[in-house]
Amino acid sequence: MGKLVVLELGDGSFEQGFPVTLEIGEEEAHASTSVLGRLPPAPEIPAAYDRWQALYRKLQLPPSRAMGLPKDRQRHSSPEDCNRAAAELGDRLNAWLQADSFRIVREKWLQKLQSSDQIRVIIRGEDYRLQKLPWHLWDLLEEYPNAEVELGGYYDDVTDGQRSFRRSVKILAILGHSQGIDIQADRKVLEQIPDARVTFLVEPQSKDLTDQLWDAEWDILFFAGHSLSQATCETGIIYINQQESLRISDLKRSLAMAVKRGLKLAIFNSCDGLGLAREFATLGIPQLIVMREPVADRVAQEFLKYFLDRFSKGESLYLAVRRARERLEGLESQYPCATWLPVIYPNSNQQPPTWQEIKTGKKRPDRPGGVPNIGIRLLQGTAVGLTISLLLAGVRYFGFLQPLELMAYDHLLQRRPHERPDADFVVITVTDQDLQLPNQRPEQRRNGKASWSDSALLQVLEKLEAYQPALIGLDIYRDYPVEQVDPKLVQRMRQNDRLITICKVSDHNHPGIKSPPPEVIPENSRDGRLGFSDFAIDRDGVLRRQLFAMNPPASSPCQAAYAFNTLLALRYLERKGVNLEFLNNGREVQLGKARFKFLPEHVGGYQSFDNWGFQLLLNYRASRTPDAIASEPISLTQVLQGELSPEVIKDKIVLIGTTARTQGFRDYVKTPYAGEQDGYQEVPGVILQAQAISQLIRAALDGRPLLWALPLWGDVLWLIGWSLIGSLLALWCQRPWQLGLTLVIAIASLYLSCLLGLIYLACWLPLLPAGLGLVSSAAVLISIPKLRARLPQAQTAP
């Protein structure tokens, strides 16, 4: 496969200089190398070109195919003057291309390209004066005998036109106005082409020409006769007969139809064709060959003969042009600068077609076995996408991505729209100010452990019972001996069957807490009034999971089977007529409108975590802060001073806990919400218990979804899908900026999909792994041509 080199001169001018981008890659593949440079100001170059052009156009040439060019009748130039001006222009051009700011471009070229490579070099720039320059004189190109320069503008990809199958090349040859020139020699050359069917239009009327373009399929469009370009090379004119001339825009729709039906190449064997080429660029003809200046009959005829001979015998289009152009060197003693005249003007990044491709309408295979290049690229992209996704799935399975995935999950949780507070809760808190009350003095702490005073707790329970709450949850440890407890408080706690208290199951770091003692909550009622307070906290200290139930170890002083929050939720739902049901041999749970499974060993971003007990993902009630789970918290002082109305408490769940930060009372846990502590917000334990209770109650009564994640196979398919998208984008995008833009759009789409999935489906979709797969697949696919380009160098290295 040949090489494609694009030298792009960006916004600039000869007076200010040009930013330059060099891209090197294989044909029909992404550039594997890209480097930036700059060409300095060089106003002397267009001036040198103007001098050469003026002398060239004053030459006393034999009949040429120009019409309408201004004539200087006072003085003709000599071939020697023209050649000196040409040499000066070539010297100035090469001096410009050897500038220090351009050296990195030159060095990268020499590093990446070998002299034996077949190279198509596209010079691209908006300044029309760039396209007038004799780029073939660049001394760098002399070291690459199989390279040819093409003058390209900025264009979109051209889609191959469709044509019927046939075994010959169809050529529409327009022999236009020929006063003073001999175009019969062109006709003879065309008639001798093998495997070609040529239709000649001799000095046609414009309607005859357009009818042919509309009514038949053509592979090659040929024109010989007089033509002219404007000074800025923006438009061109062809003279089709003695009375009529046409701009290319006059044939816009006809030529567009011809391209749609398979037109591949246009050859204008006429004078001053750069304007024709630039105007053709808007019509989508894939390849054009024009003459940059007025051309003598013999030069035009010899070029056509040499080019068609090489091209029809299998040479690539650009090498056939180079070989034919170089053959004109023997005429330069009589026709100065004849080798400067033929120019290729591509209107597509696609590899130019061969004669055989034009003849059969089929692209040649790029690999043994006849598999088209696009097929290989699709297979390659699929293989890369699958490989990347499976590697990521493996890395993810062993937990290496878990910390980053949890951070991405936290970010998405924070972006959910806010929900209203849960109206079924009242939270009574002990604040730092409450600890300064006379009946809550520090010396009333027992065994070095801080707790509420008995008198304060007794007063709170008495006041609350009068207001008829549905349940009271006491999120406070009281594990000291019963003889140290106020008898009135013991009696109150024994008789109040709406009171739920806590204990703590032992683990590796805590010995466990048995609270309260059996004398306070009798053994025969503990299953319905005592729940464990343990949380399933992640390694980074953040609470993202709810511990529903567990089988406590026999050695634990706390033998409660259900969590404190679970017990409160179940007792509350029983009052509503909703009971817990286990289905499918305990593998599923039905709780009102909610049906769910507990977390397996691998779920979502969790691949390596402490999966003890029966756990759920904790679906925080979305708000600015988790504290907003209920209405404004009520302090101990407000309760003791009677600042409550019965309506606030009646038939609601009342949670009592501490929000104080005083040593011994502090009970705070980090949440996925943003805050000052390591980037996470710390929330009192009693608020987290309320979040867990609310999750179960709202799911059972209102159908609020519980968070879930795809099964393992679903995650793998999700990764494969996004990795393949990255591969396809890398195959589809022809330029780095296009790939960058589409990748940004794809990543934004992935992010939006994950966020909307979490908001509307409560589904935790893999964001980070899918993003890595998307970007990695594109990066690997782009790197393959670059690595392949280095391979021959590595093989030939000593």
Side-chain angles (χ1 to χ4, degrees), residues 562-591:
Y562 288 105
F564 172 67
N565 49 68
T566 303
L567 198 56
L568 279 165
L570 295 180
R571 290 281 302 273
Y572 182 80
L573 291 172
E574 286 176 2
R575 296 169 57 92
K576 303 286 186 178
V578 177
N579 295 304
L580 180 66
E581 299 179 62
F582 290 94
L583 308 174
N584 296 331
N585 297 322
R587 290 192 296 271
E588 290 184 281
V589 174
Q590 184 76 47
L591 186 63

Side-chain angles (χ1 to χ4, degrees), residues 528-550:
R529 297 182 57 192
L530 184 64
F532 60 80
S533 63
D534 301 67
F535 287 130
I537 298 177
D538 291 330
R539 295 173 185 173
D540 56 1
V542 178
L543 181 65
R544 302 180 180 92
R545 291 168 286 140
Q546 176 179 356
L547 194 54
F548 186 88
M550 73 166 78

Side-chain angles (χ1 to χ4, degrees), residues 310-322:
R310 302 300 291 260
F311 188 45
S312 64
K313 290 180 179 178
E315 193 115 52
S316 67
L317 184 139
Y318 58 93
L319 283 186
V321 169
R322 173 160 181 161

Side-chain angles (χ1 to χ4, degrees), residues 320-542:
V321 169
R322 173 160 181 161
R323 300 292 180 257
R325 184 175 55 77
E326 291 174 337
R327 286 286 298 272
L328 299 178
E329 187 177 25
L331 300 176
E332 288 195 326
S333 60
Q334 187 177 0
Y335 306 99
C337 302
T339 57
W340 289 34
L341 302 181
V343 175
I344 308 174
Y345 201 103
N347 291 316
S348 170
N349 269 341
Q350 298 172 1
Q351 187 174 5
T354 64
W355 182 267
Q356 186 67 18
E357 289 173 356
I358 295 176
K359 175 182 172 182
T360 63
K362 299 179 181 179
K363 287 187 67 66
R364 67 187 183 277
D366 291 299
R367 296 290 188 273
V371 180
N373 183 49
I374 187 62
I376 288 181
R377 293 173 67 199
L378 286 174
L379 289 174
Q380 189 180 72
T382 302
V384 168
L386 288 174
T387 302
I388 292 293
S389 58
L390 293 178
L391 283 174
L392 281 171
V395 170
R396 185 175 189 250
Y397 183 83
F398 290 103
F400 294 108
L401 297 180
Q402 180 169 309
L404 295 176
E405 283 202 73
L406 292 179
M407 292 175 62
Y409 170 72
D410 297 342
H411 172 83
L412 293 176
L413 279 181
Q414 297 170 25
R415 298 301 180 273
R416 296 183 301 171
H418 293 174
E419 300 176 78
R420 294 180 179 178
D422 195 325
D424 290 336
F425 286 93
V426 173
V427 179
I428 297 177
T429 63
V430 179
T431 65
D432 289 305
Q433 291 76 18
D434 294 331
L435 296 179
Q436 307 304 317
L437 294 173
N439 58 354
Q440 186 61 43
R441 294 190 301 272
E443 59 264 27
Q444 291 185 354
R445 301 178 185 179
R446 298 176 172 89
N447 300 327
K449 299 176 182 178
S451 183
W452 278 21
S453 68
D454 292 347
S455 60
L457 180 56
L458 179 60
Q459 291 180 56
V460 169
L461 293 178
E462 289 176 346
K463 290 181 178 292
L464 291 178
E465 288 176 11
Y467 296 147
Q468 298 179 340
L471 294 167
I472 300 174
L474 185 60
D475 185 26
I476 297 175
Y477 293 118
R478 303 186 59 81
D479 60 336
Y480 38 82
V482 69
E483 59 270 11
Q484 298 182 15
V485 183
D486 187 327
K488 294 182 180 180
L489 179 59
V490 172
Q491 184 68 20
R492 178 71 62 178
M493 295 179 71
R494 282 178 176 174
Q495 295 177 353
N496 190 347
D497 61 353
R498 298 182 182 182
L499 177 65
I500 312 296
T501 59
I502 62 170
C503 62
K504 185 174 180 63
V505 177
S506 60
D507 56 27
H508 299 298
N509 301 315
H510 300 88
I513 301 175
K514 185 178 182 179
S515 170
E519 293 83 351
V520 177
I521 302 294
E523 293 287 352
N524 58 3
S525 64
R526 296 174 72 82
D527 287 343
R529 297 182 57 192
L530 184 64
F532 60 80
S533 63
D534 301 67
F535 287 130
I537 298 177
D538 291 330
R539 295 173 185 173
D540 56 1
V542 178

Side-chain angles (χ1 to χ4, degrees), residues 659-671:
T659 60
R661 295 182 179 271
T662 302
Q663 184 66 29
F665 279 89
R666 196 177 191 281
D667 177 23
Y668 279 78
V669 179
K670 289 192 288 186
T671 67

